Amino acid sequence: MKTQVAIIGAGPAGLLLAQLLRQSAIDCVILEARSEEYVLSRIRAGVLEHPTVELLHSIGAGDRLAREGLPHEGVDIVFRGEKRRIDFPSLTDGKTVTVYGQQEVVKDLIALKKDFDGQILFEAENVQLHDIESDSPSVRFTRHGEDVVLTCDFIAGCDGFHGVSRQTIPQDRLKLFEKVYPFAWLGLLAEAAPAQDELIYSYHQNGFALFSMRSPEVTRLYLQCHPEENLDEWPDERVWSELHIRLESGDGFRLNEGKILRKDVTPMRSFVCETMRHGRLFLAGDSAHIVPPTGAKGLNLAAGDVKVLNDALVAFFKSGSTDLLDAYEATALKRVWAAERFSWFMTRLLHKFPDGEPFDEAIQIADLDYFTSSEAGRKTIAENYVGLPFG
């Protein structure tokens, strides 16, 4: 097999890149280790930044998003029993975010890809990248018992944190940064109508809590917990009791309870691989960086990466110029580190740190007060939350 761009991974990064390349008539093939059913069943966060929504519409993947997505014009931040709102449009020249599940984005992108050329090879196993430092890299894999060699001009590693792409880069060429947080999130999916239309972030002495939603019928909720939390110690009664305590302030807001459909624990960490290019291999999305979910940046960072990578590949195939390819790493990392900083900032601002000193807790309250009461503070949160420009 031969193609211009071999894309490893059928997550949001790989699928978005494929559609962007198609618009410029650049051929690509996506290789995905899992089955299509598995890929479509992966549940992830679903807050889309303003630039991500615009990008999805630009590639023809915005119809269902426009119908079913839940636009949000702000978020509430609760601390000391008081709720303060960050109004996005007034602080960002009219920009908003949209709640739309990542699995729904993946579903739309897979359908779009199939409508055009169908080149998504699911269940591509034992993937190996070869000759990535040459002008003629290749990908070898096994599919349905058959060994296949895919030759290409470039490889886009969009296969996530545990994928083969980053692991192919020699260890002595990797520049890595990592921070592991001393807490996790207990995530809950409840069959209950959301009690309000916008997210609530809560700083509480019992720990952080987040109120979100997946649809008009399903509420998504999170509680700060221990990284090694035993789910058996969180029966439904305790879950709802703690959510009421942490999220309800004095304004009359009250959660709607319902059947809990799912419980899971999400670890919290920050990770950046600054080596986003090695020869003809380019990393994008979770293969290059992980953010704690507090800032809602994961999928949106992937979108930013592939927009920059697409522009670079288009310039090469149309004119032979390598300028944007050579600048890809620096251009992408500027936005990556901005999102890492914001995610770290929100995580530090809103969580109860184990063994935290009274001084540090007093600083958290002072920061919460400043960033929610002054226009400059609210604008800082709003600009970063709705999304910095791509590129």
Side-chain angles (χ1 to χ4, degrees):
M1 297 179 63
K2 182 174 178 57
T3 189
Q4 290 174 290
V5 181
I7 300 173
I8 315 300
L15 292 163
L16 270 169
L17 178 59
Q19 291 307 318
L20 286 166
L21 292 171
R22 180 188 63 79
Q23 290 188 316
S24 298
I26 295 171
D27 186 52
C28 65
V29 174
I30 301 176
L31 304 180
E32 169 57 49
R34 304 283 191 168
S35 68
E36 182 174 359
E37 292 72 24
Y38 180 91
V39 170
L40 289 172
S41 68
R42 287 187 290 211
I43 304 296
R44 297 288 188 272
V47 176
L48 305 183
E49 294 176 349
H50 182 81
T52 302
V53 172
E54 289 189 322
L55 183 65
L56 289 167
H57 280 289
S58 74
I59 63 172
D63 290 349
R64 197 161 66 92
L65 168 61
R67 294 194 308 270
E68 301 179 16
L70 306 174
H72 284 207
E73 295 187 350
V75 296
D76 287 325
I77 296 179
V78 175
F79 66 105
R80 293 185 304 193
E82 181 182 352
K83 182 184 289 183
R84 296 184 181 179
R85 186 170 185 270
I86 310 294
D87 183 82
F88 297 152
S90 66
L91 297 163
T92 63
D93 296 324
K95 296 183 177 66
T96 63
V97 298
T98 302
V99 172
Y100 189 65
Q102 178 172 316
Q103 72 275 17
E104 302 304 322
V105 174
V106 168
K107 188 183 301 182
D108 295 341
L109 291 171
I110 287 177
L112 193 62
K113 177 70 172 162
K114 284 184 169 182
D115 284 346
F116 285 96
D117 59 24
Q119 288 296 294
I120 308 177
L121 303 183
F122 292 101
E123 301 177 76
E125 302 175 324
N126 305 316
V127 172
Q128 299 177 8
L129 314 186
H130 293 274
D131 303 319
I132 60 175
E133 295 183 51
S134 75
D135 292 341
S136 302
S138 64
V139 183
R140 299 174 185 237
F141 61 97
T142 302
R143 187 167 187 260
H144 302 160
E146 179 184 359
D147 293 332
V148 184
V149 177
L150 173 64
T151 59
C152 56
D153 297 299
F154 296 95
I155 301 173
C158 305
D159 49 345
F161 182 80
H162 298 289
V164 68
S165 296
R166 190 181 68 252
Q167 298 174 29
T168 301
I169 300 173
Q171 285 294 314
D172 62 353
R173 299 295 299 275
L174 292 173
K175 188 175 182 181
L176 307 176
F177 301 81
E178 186 170 22
K179 180 178 180 62
V180 178
Y181 297 90
F183 40 72
W185 280 8
L186 173 61
L188 310 153
L189 208 60
E191 195 173 54
Q196 73 170 39
D197 294 334
E198 295 177 346
L199 277 65
I200 302 173
Y201 288 82
S202 175
Y203 171 85
H204 193 275
Q205 286 302 304
N206 290 13
F208 167 81
L210 172 62
F211 165 87
S212 184
M213 65 287 297
R214 285 294 170 267
S215 73
E217 298 81 29
V218 177
T219 301
R220 183 67 160 149
L221 302 147
Y222 298 93
L223 289 165
Q224 180 182 340
C225 65
H226 190 273
E228 305 298 326
E229 197 70 65
N230 181 358
L231 290 178
D232 291 338
E233 296 180 4
W234 285 92
D236 293 0
E237 296 77 10
R238 182 188 177 192
V239 164
W240 287 115
S241 174
E242 202 61 35
L243 285 166
H244 287 298
I245 291 170
R246 299 190 197 184
L247 285 168
E248 294 173 359
S249 55
D251 67 342
F253 169 81
R254 185 165 179 80
L255 286 169
N256 293 327
E257 294 190 16
K259 179 183 178 182
I260 294 181
L261 305 172
R262 176 178 175 147
K263 295 178 186 175
D264 51 65
V265 174
T266 301
M268 305 285 283
R269 69 179 172 200
S270 301
F271 170 82
V272 177
C273 174
E274 283 201 341
T275 313
M276 294 183 69
R277 177 193 183 175
H278 184 71
R280 290 288 181 108
L281 168 65
F282 293 80
L283 302 183
D286 286 358
S287 64
H289 40 72
I290 300 289
V291 289
T294 326
K297 294 301 171 198
L299 184 155
N300 298 292
L301 267 187
D305 289 350
V306 299
K307 178 63 170 66
V308 174
L309 181 55
N310 169 76
D311 292 348
L313 291 168
V314 169
F316 174 83
F317 284 116
K318 297 303 181 186
S319 68
S321 172
T322 63
D323 291 350
L324 293 182
L325 288 172
D326 295 338
Y328 168 72
E329 197 171 72
T331 304
L333 282 172
K334 184 175 181 180
R335 193 174 197 270
V336 166
W337 277 115
E340 292 280 354
R341 185 209 64 81
F342 180 65
S343 298
W344 165 86
F345 162 77
M346 291 287 283
T347 301
R348 182 196 63 81
L349 185 68
L350 291 161
H351 287 77
K352 182 78 172 176
F353 281 77
D355 305 320
E357 297 182 3
F359 178 87
D360 295 328
E361 293 184 7
I363 291 294
Q364 278 182 279
I365 295 297
D367 272 348
L368 282 162
D369 186 41
Y370 170 75
F371 282 101
T372 59
S373 63
S374 77
E375 182 174 355
R378 293 195 304 273
K379 188 168 185 177
T380 295
I381 293 176
E383 282 183 338
N384 284 274
Y385 204 97
V386 301
L388 301 176
F390 290 160

